[in-house]
Amino acid sequence: MKFAQATLENDSYARVSSTKQDLGRQLAALEAEGIPTELIHVDKKSGATTDRPGLTAALAHARAGDVIVVHTLDRLGRTVRDTLNMIHELDQRGVGVRNLADPIRVDSSNPADPMSQLAVVMLALFGQMERTYAVERAAHARSVAAAAGKRTGRPSVVAPDSLEHAVLLRDNGATMGEIVTKTKLSRSTLYRHLPPRQ
């Protein structure tokens, strides 16, 4: 997201949902709009969290007459309600919102344009629908993998030899407390990873 200040200066913000994702496309689009790199605020955090220092800094910098330019509208918030609330609050401060890459172009800095206001609602709704579909696709993929006997989720961080040691101790009658002491694995880790007794 960037601030394109109407008069003297520009400021910007870009976000991806995790540290493994790349900001390059958003940054390139913002720089192409003439935003200096030192004024581009970034976050690598989910839109579901309110702890986004880059967004906080960008919003604090916005002044009446500025227009916040985002690569796509879903960079502002994760849900329709979040996005619309953000746009409404900015409008109350005299700050507009404009997008760069959504199929429908939005410029809320012109409240007299009803089509622009409708576009804001439509794009926010489409963004939320896509996230809902993505969650459903991921859940389906997990259920298919589980049905095929494949493990899903994060890979185990427990070393196989530590787990084998824990199984051996348990099979030889050691208590859970003794297993924790000897393997240095936590109880929750042992309960989660120890295979059931034969």
Side-chain angles (χ1 to χ4, degrees):
M1 172 173 48
K2 84 162 186 183
F3 283 106
Q5 191 154 358
T7 53
L8 298 177
E9 60 185 30
N10 296 321
D11 197 3
S12 67
Y13 170 77
R15 178 181 65 80
V16 288
S17 298
S18 76
T19 55
K20 294 181 180 178
Q21 294 178 312
D22 183 31
L23 283 162
R25 183 179 56 156
Q26 292 180 57
L27 297 179
L30 294 170
E31 289 169 4
E33 289 287 304
I35 308 301
T37 55
E38 65 271 13
L39 294 179
I40 297 177
H41 303 280
V42 300
D43 282 321
K44 289 194 172 187
K45 292 193 171 189
S46 167
T49 180
T50 56
D51 179 24
R52 289 186 273 164
L55 178 60
T56 300
L59 295 178
H61 191 271
R63 300 292 181 265
D66 290 354
V67 176
I68 297 177
V69 181
V70 293
H71 188 251
T72 54
L73 207 58
D74 63 353
R75 300 301 84 198
L76 286 174
R78 189 168 179 82
T79 65
V80 171
R81 182 184 294 258
D82 290 345
T83 305
L84 294 181
N85 284 346
M86 175 85 67
I87 292 172
H88 176 72
E89 289 168 10
L90 289 167
D91 181 64
Q92 296 299 302
R93 294 170 48 191
V95 179
V97 174
R98 182 166 63 88
N99 60 348
L100 295 177
D102 284 311
I104 303 174
R105 301 307 293 269
V106 170
D107 185 353
S108 70
S109 62
N110 181 8
D113 181 4
M115 291 308 294
S116 178
Q117 305 305 311
L118 176 61
V120 169
V121 176
M122 290 176 60
L123 283 174
L125 180 59
F126 292 155
Q128 183 169 326
M129 287 172 58
E130 175 54 32
R131 282 186 292 276
T132 300
Y133 295 150
V135 168
E136 290 175 356
R137 288 192 297 267
H140 176 70
R142 285 193 298 272
S143 66
V144 169
K150 296 179 181 176
R151 181 183 171 91
T152 60
R154 294 181 179 178
S156 174
V157 296
V158 179
D161 57 339
S162 295
L163 194 55
E164 288 174 17
H165 186 205
V167 171
L168 181 63
L169 290 169
R170 184 192 63 185
D171 291 347
N172 287 331
T175 65
M176 189 59 73
E178 292 169 337
I179 297 172
V180 168
T181 301
K182 292 180 179 179
T183 63
K184 307 300 185 200
L185 298 173
S186 70
R187 283 179 182 268
S188 60
T189 297
L190 289 168
Y191 286 128
R192 188 165 53 249
H193 292 283
L194 274 179
R197 293 179 186 272
Q198 296 299 319

